[in-house]
Amino acid sequence: FQKAFASAVQAERKPIQQLEDRKVTMESKVALLSDLSSKVDSLKQILPGIGSPFAIREFNFTSDDEKVVSGSADKSVADKGKHSLEVLQLAGSASALSNALSDKTETKIGTGYITFNDVNGDSQEIFIDDDNSTLEGVAKVINSSGSGLKASVINDNAGEEPAFRLLLKANGVGTQSDIKFPEFYFSGGEDELFLESQRDATNAIIRYQGYDIQSPTNELKDIIPGATLNLKGTTDSGKPI
């Protein structure tokens, strides 16, 4: 009888024991959560401004001179820190400037051809008829030719008299976009047109950690890990930013 009574009592207490075990487990979880919350609060006090686990990496690219260099940072890759560099030269297009004429819409340079070699070394030829034999007409024909050249007419105001010139630029920047500029073959014109000066395409050059580094474009992605640099101007000599 005593054994049967003990078994009955034990059976009655089993649900109570299970509740007590659950209570202990729950109290342990509450204590663990409270400890974790306390540590998070401490971390927030040590690192002000952190409101989420991802905020630690929420930083931006900043420049001491946005007119010279701007950019962006991939926060999943970039390391926080300060980097200094000099921009010695921007990547530029090949360009050429003609002799000066007194006007841009009246003086005829004659009919004929403009020939040049493009970036692939292929020969290009542009025909200029009598209707487009002024400076503005030549620029219009060049721009609509799809030849890889861009043309505009400028007034350089070099003297008292108007001085209108044809400015030619190649598409693209960097030495890989360099071209051999055109030669003009015109006849029957009122004035002669020829190129007075030419400028080769250039690579961008920056000085970083004491080394001069070239880039065919003004966007640099492989200099500072995780950062993209957009070059806009040059720095003063010996004055990095």
Side-chain angles (χ1 to χ4, degrees), residues 12-27:
E12 290 290 335
R13 286 190 53 83
K14 190 172 183 179
I16 298 174
Q17 185 64 44
Q18 289 176 341
L19 289 175
E20 291 177 348
D21 291 343
R22 289 181 182 180
K23 180 181 177 181
V24 171
T25 302
M26 186 63 70
E27 289 175 347

Side-chain angles (χ1 to χ4, degrees), residues 52-58 75:
S52 72
F54 301 102
I56 297 175
R57 298 200 64 83
E58 289 176 1
K75 60 188 177 184

